[in-house]
Amino acid sequence: MKIAIIDDEQDARFVLNRQLQKSDVPISDIQEAEGVLSGYKLVQDFEPDLIFLDIKMYDGTGFDLLRQLDRAYPVIFVTAYDEFAIKAIKHQALDYLLKPVRQDSLNEALQTFQKSMLQRQRQEDLRKSLRSKPIETVIVGNINGFEVLSAADIYFFEGANQYTQVQLKDDTITSSKGLVHYDELLKGSQFIRIHNRHIVNASKIRTYQKGDGGCVTLDNGQTLAVSRKFKANLLDYFGGR
């Protein structure tokens, strides 16, 4: 497990680091940052499994940091102020620890995290099992009704405001449904959300180029960007390569 500690108090980081090492949870690496700016860079580069986050820091708040991240991370707030508990809950924090942190409270918080990870893994295993048989057809709604398309003919879906463009090999169909509709409809299939604007047919992908998010090239030569937010969808589908 990789853990990030983001706190502007050096002594607090030192103590928490020592307490984490005393816990029963297997930890592979602990990295630290002292504020919102450095914390943001740490999270982007380190991609921790769990973040211990202070609230009031010299260059902003822990909430400011969370709003900047492009995806949700498991967070345990560690602070000297108890008046932020409700706000922390709204940010879906796993736990809220008051300084000075007691070892038993820390251990309980880590157990909560492990339980949530186990539940998430079970959900992911179920999702992968449901993906064992690719869908064969996709119903594409339009203003006049709907059209039944062979899934093999679809390269990708592209969001266009409240509409969606369905890209085929030699044609483009405009659907009256938004991209969110197709994201829900196609979950667990061979269609992968890779960007705010794109859902791609995995069978059409020929190469993936690493980068900030990276990009994929399809068998028709088209290239689509992969956002950091949805990069994990692509890597998970192809076995985390």
Side-chain angles (χ1 to χ4, degrees):
M1 181 196 306
K2 299 192 300 182
I3 293 179
I5 301 174
I6 303 173
D7 194 316
D8 62 352
E9 297 179 19
Q10 183 176 358
D11 289 345
R13 296 197 305 271
F14 175 80
V15 171
L16 182 57
N17 195 315
R18 293 290 298 272
Q19 288 178 305
L20 286 168
Q21 294 180 44
K22 291 178 181 178
S23 71
D24 296 330
V25 175
I27 299 173
S28 59
D29 195 7
I30 301 175
Q31 297 287 327
E32 300 179 6
E34 60 180 12
V36 174
L37 184 61
S38 60
Y40 175 81
K41 186 177 187 307
L42 172 64
V43 172
Q44 296 301 314
D45 295 341
F46 184 48
E47 295 190 340
D49 300 304
L50 176 62
I51 301 172
F52 283 87
L53 183 60
D54 191 14
I55 292 182
K56 286 188 176 182
M57 292 179 281
Y58 72 95
D59 60 347
T61 71
F63 303 120
D64 296 332
L65 172 58
L66 295 180
R67 281 191 289 267
Q68 294 177 31
L69 298 176
D70 55 12
R71 71 177 178 88
Y73 286 84
V75 173
I76 295 175
F77 284 103
V78 182
T79 179
Y81 307 94
D82 59 2
E83 65 264 30
F84 294 104
I86 294 178
K87 192 172 183 179
I89 292 172
K90 289 182 179 179
H91 280 76
Q92 299 181 331
L94 287 173
D95 212 330
Y96 188 94
L97 301 177
L98 288 175
K99 299 176 182 177
V101 177
R102 292 170 44 182
Q103 187 70 47
D104 59 344
S105 298
L106 177 62
N107 292 341
E108 289 177 9
L110 290 170
Q111 289 174 9
T112 298
F113 169 70
Q114 286 186 304
K115 289 177 181 178
S116 70
M117 288 295 290
L118 180 60
Q119 182 178 10
R120 183 182 303 177
Q121 185 60 52
R122 287 171 177 168
Q123 291 173 344
E124 178 64 17
D125 291 343
L126 176 60
R127 185 182 67 81
K128 288 182 178 179
S129 69
L130 294 174
R131 194 181 62 203
S132 57
K133 184 178 181 181
I135 60 174
E136 297 180 357
T137 60
V138 179
I139 298 175
V140 175
N142 55 53
I143 58 175
N144 298 314
F146 64 85
E147 188 171 352
V148 180
L149 301 178
S150 169
D153 292 336
I154 300 173
Y155 275 76
F156 59 87
F157 297 81
E158 182 173 21
N161 296 321
Q162 69 268 39
Y163 300 101
T164 300
Q165 302 287 343
V166 185
Q167 183 65 52
L168 309 178
K169 183 176 182 179
D170 299 311
D171 194 14
T172 301
I173 297 174
T174 299
S175 170
S176 57
K177 302 290 186 180
L179 195 64
V180 172
H181 167 78
Y182 292 102
D183 193 24
E184 290 298 320
L185 179 69
L186 301 169
K187 277 191 186 303
S189 74
Q190 69 270 39
F191 290 89
I192 314 168
R193 184 75 177 267
I194 61 169
H195 195 276
N196 284 336
R197 294 187 60 200
H198 292 122
I199 299 171
V200 66
N201 187 342
S203 68
K204 305 297 185 183
I205 295 174
R206 288 298 170 264
T207 64
Y208 167 65
Q209 181 67 41
K210 292 181 179 180
D212 190 22
C215 63
V216 293
T217 301
L218 310 184
D219 62 16
N220 65 354
Q222 285 185 278
T223 299
L224 300 176
V226 179
S227 71
R228 286 185 302 184
K229 180 178 181 180
F230 295 105
K231 180 179 178 180
N233 292 350
L234 178 71
L235 298 182
D236 287 349
Y237 186 91
F238 287 101
R241 292 174 175 80

